[in-house]
């Protein structure tokens, strides 16, 4: 970051430029330390409200559980397939 931006943290990304017509579905974990609930709330509040199609919090999931969780196929796959089919929102 210092080499690219001149400061330790990167500059904030301007999410207000996301088109209102974008179709965004957020899926977050209730126990995620890397994308914790306050950060995901900040992300959601920074996006145009019209662009957020759905927001699902998977309680008990942390960051790795989305990839390594033993119940991902039964819990997440149906949700993602509904999102792709346009059935959630």
């Amino acid at each position: 970051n210092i080499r690219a931006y001149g400061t330790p943290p990167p500059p904030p990304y301007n999410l207000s430029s996301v088109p209102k017509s974008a179709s965004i579905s957020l899926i977050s974990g209730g126990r995620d330390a890397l994308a914790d609930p306050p950060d995901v709330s900040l992300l959601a509040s920074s996006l145009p409200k019209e662009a957020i199609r759905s927001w699902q919090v998977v309680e008990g999931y942390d960051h790795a559980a989305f990839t390594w969780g033993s119940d991902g196929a039964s819990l997440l796959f149906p949700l993602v397939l509904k999102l792709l089919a346009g059935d959630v929102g």
Side-chain angles (χ1 to χ4, degrees):
N1 286 331
I2 291 176
R3 190 176 329 142
Y5 306 113
T7 61
Y13 189 81
N14 182 3
L15 294 173
S16 67
S17 63
V18 172
K20 292 179 181 180
S21 61
S23 182
I24 299 171
S25 295
L26 300 172
I27 304 174
S28 59
R31 299 182 71 197
D32 194 331
L34 298 177
D36 64 16
D39 284 350
V40 178
S41 293
L42 178 61
L43 168 65
S45 69
S46 299
L47 290 165
K49 290 185 185 355
E50 301 85 353
I52 299 177
R53 181 169 148 196
S54 66
W55 181 2
Q56 175 86 22
V57 177
V58 182
E59 294 301 332
Y61 258 47
D62 62 15
H63 208 76
F66 285 97
T67 303
W68 298 106
S70 61
D71 59 354
S74 63
L75 183 66
L76 296 176
F77 292 2
L79 174 61
V80 171
L81 290 173
K82 283 183 178 183
L83 290 170
L84 292 173
D87 292 341
V88 175

